Amino acid sequence: MIGLQSNLNSQIKIEVNADVDVIEGEIQIDQKIIYKNNSTKKLNTILLNDWVSSYSNSDTPLVKRFLNEFKTNLYIAKQKNRGFTKISSISDNSGESLSYERLINSYDIIKLNLNKPLLPNDSLTINLDYMIKIQSDKFTGYGKTKKNNFTLNSWYLTPSVHENEWKPYSNLNFDKPYTPRSNVKLSINIPPEYNIYTELKIKKISLNDSSKSYSLYGKNILFHDIILTTEKFKSFNVNSTRIMTNIESKKIDFSSEELI
């Protein structure tokens, strides 16, 4: 579930423009992160979560955890079923490129090397251009299905937590990333027959013959789960809560489902 709590003041702003190729399972992303140094120390690096890359090879923390549980399906997975991130460019607000590397023992964590220190209470704009290949959903339940539908969690790059020091947290299939709250704006282009289901608020939906575009936003959110599907979900209103589901029951009519 995605947490929306407006009583907290987020120090991070994220804007994502995403074009989804549902057949290839690829998402082209143009992203901006405005990161504020809320610590008392100057920062020379910023760590980013890249959980899609936890499916990219046989030596990630996720694979090692599965092997400890005698699960070998990701270790021996074919390349077509793996997920990965291919970065085209990363730059700061002055347009200068930022060098980056992956942590040695945590391939799904990216370390950005800043061109100059980010002082306490100062902000830095990070511009990212990259492509993600979505993994098969057979490993963890998140990813691309055989019907080319998608259940995504922590799919675009987000900052790691910094509390006097960086606290990187790799994907270990515990469902939710350890990441600070952020204000997000998402623009997602999908084929017209697809729908998006999320706890983010929908600002606008634009439709033409070749694509459908969703404009989404959320304040002070922790999680970024999104479902892209050709299915039609049912909607229930329970007091002030809206529930959407694709669970079907032939034995229970709609009014009874809503009551339940």
Side-chain angles (χ1 to χ4, degrees), residues 97-154:
S97 296
L98 296 175
S99 64
Y100 63 91
E101 56 199 282
R102 295 183 180 274
L103 299 190
I104 295 175
N105 295 318
S106 299
Y107 192 80
D108 53 357
I109 304 294
I110 295 173
K111 182 174 77 170
L112 298 182
N113 302 305
L114 305 185
N115 294 325
K116 61 180 181 179
L118 182 62
L119 302 179
N121 296 316
D122 281 357
S123 296
L124 174 69
T125 298
I126 304 168
N127 301 297
L128 306 108
D129 181 14
Y130 59 99
M131 183 273 289
I132 55 175
K133 174 72 164 61
I134 302 300
Q135 73 283 352
S136 168
D137 71 332
K138 66 182 180 180
F139 305 119
T140 61
Y142 290 105
K144 180 174 180 279
T145 72
K146 292 182 179 180
K147 294 183 179 180
N148 295 333
N149 294 323
F150 299 81
T151 300
L152 306 177
N153 78 322
S154 195

Short mmCIF file of all heavy atoms in Angstrom, two decimals, residues 97-154:
data_model
loop_
_atom_site.label_atom_id
_atom_site.label_comp_id
_atom_site.label_asym_id
_atom_site.label_seq_id
_atom_site.Cartn_x
_atom_site.Cartn_y
_atom_site.Cartn_z
N SER A 97 27.57 16.64 -15.67
CA SER A 97 27.35 15.21 -15.46
C SER A 97 27.82 14.79 -14.08
O SER A 97 28.81 15.31 -13.56
CB SER A 97 28.09 14.39 -16.51
OG SER A 97 27.59 14.65 -17.80
N LEU A 98 27.09 13.85 -13.48
CA LEU A 98 27.47 13.27 -12.20
C LEU A 98 27.95 11.84 -12.44
O LEU A 98 27.26 11.05 -13.08
CB LEU A 98 26.29 13.26 -11.23
CG LEU A 98 25.73 14.62 -10.81
CD1 LEU A 98 24.49 14.42 -9.94
CD2 LEU A 98 26.78 15.44 -10.08
N SER A 99 29.14 11.55 -11.94
CA SER A 99 29.62 10.17 -12.03
C SER A 99 28.90 9.32 -11.00
O SER A 99 28.41 9.82 -9.98
CB SER A 99 31.13 10.10 -11.82
OG SER A 99 31.47 10.51 -10.50
N TYR A 100 28.82 8.03 -11.26
CA TYR A 100 28.11 7.14 -10.35
C TYR A 100 28.72 5.75 -10.39
O TYR A 100 29.44 5.39 -11.33
CB TYR A 100 26.62 7.08 -10.70
CG TYR A 100 26.33 6.50 -12.06
CD1 TYR A 100 26.09 5.14 -12.25
CD2 TYR A 100 26.30 7.32 -13.19
CE1 TYR A 100 25.84 4.61 -13.50
CE2 TYR A 100 26.05 6.81 -14.45
CZ TYR A 100 25.82 5.45 -14.60
OH TYR A 100 25.58 4.93 -15.85
N GLU A 101 28.41 4.98 -9.37
CA GLU A 101 28.85 3.60 -9.29
C GLU A 101 27.84 2.84 -8.45
O GLU A 101 27.02 3.44 -7.75
CB GLU A 101 30.25 3.52 -8.67
CG GLU A 101 30.33 4.18 -7.30
CD GLU A 101 31.75 4.50 -6.90
OE1 GLU A 101 32.44 3.55 -6.48
OE2 GLU A 101 32.16 5.68 -6.99
N ARG A 102 27.92 1.54 -8.51
CA ARG A 102 27.04 0.70 -7.69
C ARG A 102 27.82 0.17 -6.50
O ARG A 102 29.02 -0.12 -6.62
CB ARG A 102 26.46 -0.45 -8.52
CG ARG A 102 25.54 0.06 -9.64
CD ARG A 102 24.91 -1.09 -10.42
NE ARG A 102 24.05 -0.56 -11.47
CZ ARG A 102 22.77 -0.21 -11.31
NH1 ARG A 102 22.22 -0.36 -10.12
NH2 ARG A 102 22.06 0.25 -12.30
N LEU A 103 27.14 0.08 -5.35
CA LEU A 103 27.82 -0.45 -4.17
C LEU A 103 28.25 -1.89 -4.43
O LEU A 103 27.51 -2.67 -5.05
CB LEU A 103 26.91 -0.38 -2.95
CG LEU A 103 26.42 1.02 -2.53
CD1 LEU A 103 25.73 0.94 -1.17
CD2 LEU A 103 27.57 2.03 -2.50
N ILE A 104 29.43 -2.24 -3.95
CA ILE A 104 30.03 -3.54 -4.27
C ILE A 104 29.13 -4.69 -3.85
O ILE A 104 28.91 -5.64 -4.62
CB ILE A 104 31.42 -3.66 -3.59
CG1 ILE A 104 32.38 -2.62 -4.19
CG2 ILE A 104 31.98 -5.07 -3.76
CD1 ILE A 104 33.74 -2.59 -3.50
N ASN A 105 28.59 -4.64 -2.66
CA ASN A 105 27.78 -5.75 -2.17
C ASN A 105 26.28 -5.51 -2.29
O ASN A 105 25.48 -6.32 -1.82
CB ASN A 105 28.13 -6.04 -0.70
CG ASN A 105 29.56 -6.52 -0.54
OD1 ASN A 105 30.04 -7.33 -1.33
ND2 ASN A 105 30.24 -6.00 0.47
N SER A 106 25.92 -4.39 -2.91
CA SER A 106 24.50 -4.05 -3.08
C SER A 106 24.32 -3.45 -4.46
O SER A 106 24.30 -2.22 -4.63
CB SER A 106 24.04 -3.07 -2.00
OG SER A 106 24.17 -3.63 -0.71
N TYR A 107 24.15 -4.31 -5.46
CA TYR A 107 24.09 -3.86 -6.85
C TYR A 107 22.88 -2.97 -7.10
O TYR A 107 22.87 -2.19 -8.06
CB TYR A 107 24.07 -5.06 -7.78
CG TYR A 107 24.30 -4.71 -9.22
CD1 TYR A 107 25.58 -4.47 -9.71
CD2 TYR A 107 23.23 -4.60 -10.11
CE1 TYR A 107 25.79 -4.14 -11.04
CE2 TYR A 107 23.44 -4.28 -11.44
CZ TYR A 107 24.72 -4.03 -11.90
OH TYR A 107 24.92 -3.69 -13.21
N ASP A 108 21.85 -3.07 -6.26
CA ASP A 108 20.63 -2.29 -6.47
C ASP A 108 20.66 -0.95 -5.73
O ASP A 108 19.63 -0.32 -5.55
CB ASP A 108 19.39 -3.09 -6.08
CG ASP A 108 19.47 -3.65 -4.66
OD1 ASP A 108 20.50 -3.46 -4.00
OD2 ASP A 108 18.49 -4.29 -4.23
N ILE A 109 21.86 -0.49 -5.32
CA ILE A 109 22.06 0.82 -4.73
C ILE A 109 23.09 1.58 -5.57
O ILE A 109 24.20 1.08 -5.80
CB ILE A 109 22.55 0.75 -3.27
CG1 ILE A 109 21.59 -0.07 -2.41
CG2 ILE A 109 22.72 2.16 -2.71
CD1 ILE A 109 20.23 0.53 -2.21
N ILE A 110 22.71 2.77 -6.04
CA ILE A 110 23.60 3.60 -6.86
C ILE A 110 24.17 4.73 -6.01
O ILE A 110 23.44 5.41 -5.29
CB ILE A 110 22.84 4.19 -8.06
CG1 ILE A 110 22.38 3.07 -9.00
CG2 ILE A 110 23.71 5.19 -8.82
CD1 ILE A 110 21.47 3.55 -10.11
N LYS A 111 25.49 4.93 -6.09
CA LYS A 111 26.14 6.04 -5.39
C LYS A 111 26.49 7.13 -6.38
O LYS A 111 27.27 6.91 -7.32
CB LYS A 111 27.39 5.57 -4.66
CG LYS A 111 28.07 6.70 -3.87
CD LYS A 111 29.24 6.20 -3.04
CE LYS A 111 30.46 5.95 -3.88
NZ LYS A 111 31.67 5.69 -3.07
N LEU A 112 25.87 8.31 -6.20
CA LEU A 112 26.20 9.47 -7.02
C LEU A 112 27.32 10.25 -6.37
O LEU A 112 27.27 10.55 -5.17
CB LEU A 112 24.97 10.38 -7.17
CG LEU A 112 23.73 9.83 -7.85
CD1 LEU A 112 22.67 10.92 -7.95
CD2 LEU A 112 24.05 9.29 -9.23
N ASN A 113 28.31 10.61 -7.16
CA ASN A 113 29.42 11.43 -6.66
C ASN A 113 29.16 12.88 -7.06
O ASN A 113 29.13 13.22 -8.24
CB ASN A 113 30.74 10.94 -7.26
CG ASN A 113 31.01 9.49 -6.93
OD1 ASN A 113 31.03 9.10 -5.77
ND2 ASN A 113 31.21 8.67 -7.96
N LEU A 114 28.93 13.74 -6.07
CA LEU A 114 28.60 15.13 -6.34
C LEU A 114 29.83 15.91 -6.78
O LEU A 114 30.94 15.66 -6.33
CB LEU A 114 27.98 15.77 -5.10
CG LEU A 114 26.75 15.06 -4.51
CD1 LEU A 114 26.17 15.87 -3.35
CD2 LEU A 114 25.69 14.81 -5.58
N ASN A 115 29.61 16.90 -7.66
CA ASN A 115 30.71 17.72 -8.15
C ASN A 115 31.20 18.70 -7.09
O ASN A 115 32.35 19.14 -7.12
CB ASN A 115 30.28 18.47 -9.41
CG ASN A 115 30.03 17.51 -10.57
OD1 ASN A 115 30.71 16.49 -10.70
ND2 ASN A 115 29.04 17.81 -11.39
N LYS A 116 30.31 19.07 -6.17
CA LYS A 116 30.71 19.89 -5.02
C LYS A 116 29.82 19.50 -3.85
O LYS A 116 28.69 19.01 -4.04
CB LYS A 116 30.59 21.38 -5.34
CG LYS A 116 29.20 21.85 -5.68
CD LYS A 116 29.22 23.35 -5.97
CE LYS A 116 27.82 23.87 -6.30
NZ LYS A 116 27.82 25.32 -6.56
N PRO A 117 30.31 19.68 -2.63
CA PRO A 117 29.55 19.24 -1.47
C PRO A 117 28.18 19.93 -1.38
O PRO A 117 28.05 21.11 -1.70
CB PRO A 117 30.44 19.63 -0.28
CG PRO A 117 31.81 19.72 -0.86
CD PRO A 117 31.64 20.22 -2.25
N LEU A 118 27.19 19.17 -0.93
CA LEU A 118 25.86 19.72 -0.67
C LEU A 118 25.80 20.08 0.81
O LEU A 118 25.83 19.19 1.68
CB LEU A 118 24.79 18.70 -1.04
CG LEU A 118 23.34 19.16 -0.87
CD1 LEU A 118 23.04 20.36 -1.77
CD2 LEU A 118 22.37 18.02 -1.16
N LEU A 119 25.71 21.36 1.10
CA LEU A 119 25.77 21.84 2.48
C LEU A 119 24.43 21.63 3.19
O LEU A 119 23.39 21.50 2.54
CB LEU A 119 26.16 23.32 2.50
CG LEU A 119 27.49 23.68 1.84
CD1 LEU A 119 27.73 25.18 1.92
CD2 LEU A 119 28.64 22.91 2.48
N PRO A 120 24.45 21.59 4.52
CA PRO A 120 23.20 21.45 5.28
C PRO A 120 22.17 22.52 4.89
O PRO A 120 22.51 23.68 4.69
CB PRO A 120 23.65 21.62 6.74
CG PRO A 120 25.07 21.16 6.73
CD PRO A 120 25.62 21.59 5.41
N ASN A 121 20.93 22.08 4.72
CA ASN A 121 19.78 22.92 4.35
C ASN A 121 19.80 23.37 2.89
O ASN A 121 18.87 24.07 2.46
CB ASN A 121 19.65 24.13 5.27
CG ASN A 121 19.35 23.75 6.70
OD1 ASN A 121 18.51 22.89 6.96
ND2 ASN A 121 20.06 24.36 7.64
N ASP A 122 20.83 23.02 2.13
CA ASP A 122 20.85 23.32 0.70
C ASP A 122 20.17 22.19 -0.08
O ASP A 122 20.07 21.06 0.40
CB ASP A 122 22.28 23.50 0.19
CG ASP A 122 22.83 24.88 0.53
OD1 ASP A 122 22.07 25.69 1.09
OD2 ASP A 122 24.02 25.12 0.22
N SER A 123 19.73 22.52 -1.29
CA SER A 123 19.06 21.54 -2.15
C SER A 123 19.83 21.36 -3.45
O SER A 123 20.54 22.27 -3.90
CB SER A 123 17.62 21.98 -2.47
OG SER A 123 16.84 22.02 -1.30
N LEU A 124 19.68 20.18 -4.03
CA LEU A 124 20.32 19.85 -5.29
C LEU A 124 19.30 19.22 -6.22
O LEU A 124 18.54 18.34 -5.81
CB LEU A 124 21.48 18.87 -5.07
CG LEU A 124 22.15 18.32 -6.34
CD1 LEU A 124 22.92 19.43 -7.05
CD2 LEU A 124 23.08 17.15 -6.00
N THR A 125 19.27 19.67 -7.47
CA THR A 125 18.42 19.06 -8.49
C THR A 125 19.22 18.03 -9.27
O THR A 125 20.30 18.34 -9.79
CB THR A 125 17.85 20.12 -9.45
OG1 THR A 125 17.05 21.04 -8.72
CG2 THR A 125 17.00 19.46 -10.52
N ILE A 126 18.70 16.82 -9.33
CA ILE A 126 19.35 15.73 -10.06
C ILE A 126 18.46 15.34 -11.24
O ILE A 126 17.27 15.03 -11.06
CB ILE A 126 19.55 14.50 -9.15
CG1 ILE A 126 20.35 14.89 -7.90
CG2 ILE A 126 20.27 13.38 -9.90
CD1 ILE A 126 20.34 13.83 -6.83
N ASN A 127 19.02 15.39 -12.43
CA ASN A 127 18.28 15.02 -13.65
C ASN A 127 18.75 13.66 -14.13
O ASN A 127 19.96 13.43 -14.27
CB ASN A 127 18.50 16.07 -14.74
CG ASN A 127 18.05 17.46 -14.31
OD1 ASN A 127 16.88 17.69 -14.03
ND2 ASN A 127 19.00 18.39 -14.23
N LEU A 128 17.81 12.76 -14.38
CA LEU A 128 18.15 11.38 -14.76
C LEU A 128 17.39 10.98 -16.02
O LEU A 128 16.20 11.26 -16.17
CB LEU A 128 17.80 10.41 -13.63
CG LEU A 128 18.38 10.72 -12.25
CD1 LEU A 128 17.27 11.21 -11.33
CD2 LEU A 128 19.05 9.50 -11.64
N ASP A 129 18.09 10.32 -16.90
CA ASP A 129 17.50 9.75 -18.11
C ASP A 129 17.91 8.29 -18.16
O ASP A 129 19.11 7.98 -18.24
CB ASP A 129 18.00 10.51 -19.34
CG ASP A 129 17.39 9.99 -20.63
OD1 ASP A 129 16.40 9.24 -20.58
OD2 ASP A 129 17.92 10.34 -21.71
N TYR A 130 16.94 7.37 -18.09
CA TYR A 130 17.29 5.95 -18.05
C TYR A 130 16.12 5.08 -18.51
O TYR A 130 14.98 5.55 -18.65
CB TYR A 130 17.71 5.54 -16.64
CG TYR A 130 16.68 5.76 -15.55
CD1 TYR A 130 15.88 4.72 -15.09
CD2 TYR A 130 16.52 7.00 -14.94
CE1 TYR A 130 14.95 4.91 -14.08
CE2 TYR A 130 15.61 7.21 -13.94
CZ TYR A 130 14.81 6.16 -13.50
OH TYR A 130 13.89 6.35 -12.51
N MET A 131 16.41 3.82 -18.75
CA MET A 131 15.41 2.84 -19.14
C MET A 131 15.43 1.69 -18.15
O MET A 131 16.50 1.26 -17.72
CB MET A 131 15.69 2.30 -20.55
CG MET A 131 14.63 1.32 -21.07
SD MET A 131 14.94 -0.42 -20.58
CE MET A 131 16.37 -0.82 -21.59
N ILE A 132 14.25 1.23 -17.74
CA ILE A 132 14.19 0.05 -16.89
C ILE A 132 13.49 -1.09 -17.64
O ILE A 132 12.50 -0.88 -18.34
CB ILE A 132 13.47 0.32 -15.55
CG1 ILE A 132 12.08 0.91 -15.76
CG2 ILE A 132 14.31 1.23 -14.68
CD1 ILE A 132 11.30 1.09 -14.47
N LYS A 133 14.06 -2.27 -17.52
CA LYS A 133 13.44 -3.49 -18.03
C LYS A 133 12.79 -4.18 -16.84
O LYS A 133 13.46 -4.48 -15.85
CB LYS A 133 14.50 -4.40 -18.66
CG LYS A 133 14.00 -5.77 -19.09
CD LYS A 133 13.11 -5.67 -20.31
CE LYS A 133 12.92 -7.04 -20.97
NZ LYS A 133 12.27 -8.04 -20.09
N ILE A 134 11.49 -4.40 -16.91
CA ILE A 134 10.74 -4.96 -15.79
C ILE A 134 10.87 -6.47 -15.76
O ILE A 134 10.68 -7.15 -16.79
CB ILE A 134 9.26 -4.56 -15.86
CG1 ILE A 134 9.14 -3.02 -15.87
CG2 ILE A 134 8.48 -5.14 -14.69
CD1 ILE A 134 9.72 -2.35 -14.66
N GLN A 135 11.18 -7.01 -14.60
CA GLN A 135 11.36 -8.45 -14.43
C GLN A 135 10.03 -9.20 -14.51
O GLN A 135 8.96 -8.61 -14.37
CB GLN A 135 12.01 -8.73 -13.06
CG GLN A 135 11.10 -8.54 -11.87
CD GLN A 135 10.86 -7.10 -11.47
OE1 GLN A 135 11.50 -6.19 -11.99
NE2 GLN A 135 9.95 -6.88 -10.53
N SER A 136 10.12 -10.50 -14.71
CA SER A 136 8.94 -11.36 -14.63
C SER A 136 8.39 -11.32 -13.20
O SER A 136 9.15 -11.25 -12.24
CB SER A 136 9.30 -12.79 -15.00
OG SER A 136 8.25 -13.68 -14.67
N ASP A 137 7.07 -11.42 -13.08
CA ASP A 137 6.46 -11.39 -11.74
C ASP A 137 6.56 -12.73 -11.02
O ASP A 137 6.13 -12.84 -9.87
CB ASP A 137 4.99 -10.96 -11.84
CG ASP A 137 4.10 -12.03 -12.46
OD1 ASP A 137 4.61 -12.83 -13.27
OD2 ASP A 137 2.90 -12.07 -12.14
N LYS A 138 7.13 -13.74 -11.67
CA LYS A 138 7.15 -15.07 -11.05
C LYS A 138 8.12 -15.19 -9.88
O LYS A 138 8.04 -16.14 -9.10
CB LYS A 138 7.48 -16.13 -12.10
CG LYS A 138 8.87 -16.05 -12.69
CD LYS A 138 9.07 -17.12 -13.75
CE LYS A 138 10.46 -17.08 -14.37
NZ LYS A 138 10.64 -18.13 -15.39
N PHE A 139 9.02 -14.22 -9.71
CA PHE A 139 10.01 -14.31 -8.63
C PHE A 139 9.44 -13.81 -7.30
O PHE A 139 9.61 -14.47 -6.27
CB PHE A 139 11.26 -13.50 -8.99
CG PHE A 139 11.88 -13.88 -10.29
CD1 PHE A 139 11.98 -12.95 -11.32
CD2 PHE A 139 12.34 -15.16 -10.51
CE1 PHE A 139 12.55 -13.29 -12.53
CE2 PHE A 139 12.91 -15.53 -11.73
CZ PHE A 139 13.01 -14.58 -12.74
N THR A 140 8.77 -12.67 -7.32
CA THR A 140 8.29 -12.06 -6.08
C THR A 140 6.82 -11.64 -6.13
O THR A 140 6.28 -11.16 -5.13
CB THR A 140 9.11 -10.80 -5.73
OG1 THR A 140 8.97 -9.85 -6.80
CG2 THR A 140 10.58 -11.15 -5.54
N GLY A 141 6.18 -11.78 -7.28
CA GLY A 141 4.82 -11.28 -7.44
C GLY A 141 4.78 -9.88 -8.01
O GLY A 141 3.72 -9.42 -8.45
N TYR A 142 5.92 -9.17 -8.00
CA TYR A 142 6.01 -7.86 -8.62
C TYR A 142 6.69 -8.00 -9.98
O TYR A 142 7.68 -8.72 -10.13
CB TYR A 142 6.82 -6.90 -7.75
CG TYR A 142 6.12 -6.49 -6.48
CD1 TYR A 142 6.51 -7.03 -5.25
CD2 TYR A 142 5.08 -5.57 -6.50
CE1 TYR A 142 5.87 -6.65 -4.08
CE2 TYR A 142 4.44 -5.20 -5.33
CZ TYR A 142 4.83 -5.73 -4.13
OH TYR A 142 4.19 -5.37 -2.96
N GLY A 143 6.17 -7.26 -10.97
CA GLY A 143 6.77 -7.29 -12.29
C GLY A 143 5.75 -7.49 -13.39
O GLY A 143 4.57 -7.13 -13.25
N LYS A 144 6.18 -8.09 -14.47
CA LYS A 144 5.38 -8.26 -15.68
C LYS A 144 4.79 -9.66 -15.72
O LYS A 144 5.49 -10.65 -15.52
CB LYS A 144 6.27 -8.02 -16.91
CG LYS A 144 5.60 -8.16 -18.26
CD LYS A 144 6.59 -7.75 -19.35
CE LYS A 144 5.99 -7.85 -20.74
NZ LYS A 144 6.01 -9.24 -21.26
N THR A 145 3.48 -9.74 -15.99
CA THR A 145 2.81 -11.03 -16.08
C THR A 145 2.88 -11.57 -17.50
O THR A 145 3.28 -10.87 -18.44
CB THR A 145 1.34 -10.92 -15.66
OG1 THR A 145 0.61 -10.21 -16.69
CG2 THR A 145 1.19 -10.15 -14.34
N LYS A 146 2.45 -12.81 -17.67
CA LYS A 146 2.41 -13.41 -19.00
C LYS A 146 1.41 -12.71 -19.92
O LYS A 146 1.51 -12.80 -21.14
CB LYS A 146 2.08 -14.90 -18.88
CG LYS A 146 3.18 -15.73 -18.24
CD LYS A 146 2.81 -17.20 -18.20
CE LYS A 146 3.93 -18.04 -17.59
NZ LYS A 146 3.59 -19.48 -17.53
N LYS A 147 0.44 -12.02 -19.33
CA LYS A 147 -0.56 -11.28 -20.11
C LYS A 147 -0.15 -9.83 -20.34
O LYS A 147 -0.95 -9.01 -20.78
CB LYS A 147 -1.91 -11.32 -19.39
CG LYS A 147 -2.52 -12.71 -19.31
CD LYS A 147 -3.88 -12.65 -18.64
CE LYS A 147 -4.53 -14.04 -18.58
NZ LYS A 147 -5.87 -14.00 -17.94
N ASN A 148 1.12 -9.51 -20.04
CA ASN A 148 1.66 -8.16 -20.23
C ASN A 148 0.98 -7.12 -19.36
O ASN A 148 0.85 -5.95 -19.75
CB ASN A 148 1.59 -7.74 -21.71
CG ASN A 148 2.47 -8.58 -22.60
OD1 ASN A 148 3.48 -9.13 -22.16
ND2 ASN A 148 2.09 -8.72 -23.86
N ASN A 149 0.56 -7.53 -18.17
CA ASN A 149 0.13 -6.60 -17.15
C ASN A 149 1.28 -6.41 -16.16
O ASN A 149 2.20 -7.23 -16.10
CB ASN A 149 -1.11 -7.10 -16.43
CG ASN A 149 -2.33 -7.14 -17.35
OD1 ASN A 149 -2.50 -6.27 -18.20
ND2 ASN A 149 -3.16 -8.15 -17.18
N PHE A 150 1.23 -5.34 -15.36
CA PHE A 150 2.37 -5.00 -14.51
C PHE A 150 1.91 -4.64 -13.10
O PHE A 150 0.96 -3.88 -12.93
CB PHE A 150 3.13 -3.79 -15.08
CG PHE A 150 3.70 -4.02 -16.45
CD1 PHE A 150 2.90 -3.90 -17.57
CD2 PHE A 150 5.03 -4.33 -16.62
CE1 PHE A 150 3.40 -4.10 -18.84
CE2 PHE A 150 5.56 -4.54 -17.88
CZ PHE A 150 4.74 -4.43 -18.99
N THR A 151 2.59 -5.21 -12.11
CA THR A 151 2.48 -4.76 -10.73
C THR A 151 3.85 -4.27 -10.31
O THR A 151 4.80 -5.05 -10.24
CB THR A 151 2.01 -5.90 -9.80
OG1 THR A 151 0.73 -6.37 -10.23
CG2 THR A 151 1.90 -5.41 -8.36
N LEU A 152 3.96 -2.96 -10.07
CA LEU A 152 5.26 -2.34 -9.84
C LEU A 152 5.36 -1.79 -8.43
O LEU A 152 4.42 -1.15 -7.94
CB LEU A 152 5.48 -1.20 -10.84
CG LEU A 152 5.31 -1.53 -12.33
CD1 LEU A 152 5.48 -0.27 -13.17
CD2 LEU A 152 6.30 -2.60 -12.75
N ASN A 153 6.49 -2.03 -7.78
CA ASN A 153 6.80 -1.36 -6.51
C ASN A 153 8.25 -0.89 -6.57
O ASN A 153 9.11 -1.55 -7.11
CB ASN A 153 6.57 -2.29 -5.30
CG ASN A 153 7.68 -3.29 -5.11
OD1 ASN A 153 8.23 -3.81 -6.08
ND2 ASN A 153 8.02 -3.60 -3.88
N SER A 154 8.48 0.30 -6.04
CA SER A 154 9.82 0.89 -6.05
C SER A 154 10.47 0.76 -7.43
O SER A 154 11.57 0.26 -7.57
CB SER A 154 10.71 0.23 -4.98
OG SER A 154 11.87 0.98 -4.74
#
